Amino acid sequence: MLQDLDALSRRIRQVVQLAQSLQSERATLQARVRQLEQECQALKDQQLREGQEFARMSERLARHDQELQNVRDEAGQHRAALESQVRDHQIRTDSLQRRLAQVESERDRLREAASGAQQQIELILERLPGAEA
């Protein structure tokens, strides 16, 4: 019977040691769970901040894209206006060059006519009485 009591006592000590070991392990696991929960919350906070930053950057990018498109549109309008002006000036230049060619042709014709008239006047003057021989 003493042996049974000794065995029972040993068994109770083992159970107590196991219970203490389990309590210690439980406390360690609870501490680890709290630590992981804190890390998880920190990661959630970081994700939230990064999401907000991403949203701000997306809005900023959208604004910049819109501004860039506006500048491109404006540049396209200016380019079209300048190209129109170039065409208008080219048409005017071509017209003026044609007009200049006509005027020069008319001038040359008038010079020839004036020269011919001058020669005829000289011939007439030579035939007049009292002309120097």
Side-chain angles (χ1 to χ4, degrees):
M1 173 132 158
L2 263 150
Q3 287 179 340
D4 288 338
L5 288 176
D6 282 341
L8 183 59
S9 173
R10 279 193 307 273
R11 185 73 180 133
I12 290 174
R13 272 187 252 127
Q14 286 176 342
V15 168
V16 168
Q17 286 176 347
L18 181 60
Q20 288 173 345
S21 173
L22 288 174
Q23 283 179 344
S24 174
E25 189 176 333
R26 179 176 179 245
T28 300
L29 289 173
Q30 285 177 333
R32 180 71 178 138
V33 165
R34 282 190 299 275
Q35 179 187 5
L36 290 173
E37 286 174 344
Q38 289 173 347
E39 288 176 14
C40 181
Q41 187 59 46
L43 289 173
K44 284 180 182 179
D45 292 344
Q46 180 180 355
Q47 181 185 22
L48 179 63
R49 285 189 308 274
E50 288 174 356
Q52 291 169 342
E53 180 68 17
F54 179 78
R56 282 192 301 275
M57 288 296 146
S58 293
E59 290 172 8
R60 187 174 176 193
L61 180 61
R63 277 194 318 272
H64 286 178
D65 284 345
Q66 185 60 47
E67 289 172 6
L68 182 59
Q69 188 59 45
N70 292 343
V71 167
R72 284 181 180 154
D73 292 346
E74 187 177 338
Q77 292 170 354
H78 286 299
R79 181 183 180 134
L82 289 173
E83 287 173 349
S84 176
Q85 287 178 358
V86 166
R87 282 191 302 274
D88 292 346
H89 287 297
Q90 187 62 46
I91 290 169
R92 178 139 169 80
T93 299
D94 293 345
S95 173
L96 289 173
Q97 285 178 343
R98 282 191 303 275
R99 179 72 179 126
L100 177 63
Q102 289 173 351
V103 167
E104 287 177 344
S105 175
E106 181 71 14
R107 181 200 63 204
D108 291 343
R109 190 182 61 74
L110 289 174
R111 277 189 180 164
E112 287 176 15
S115 176
Q118 180 70 34
Q119 287 174 357
Q120 286 180 357
I121 291 173
E122 287 175 3
L123 284 174
I124 292 172
L125 288 177
E126 286 177 5
R127 291 185 196 154
L128 287 176
E132 293 182 25

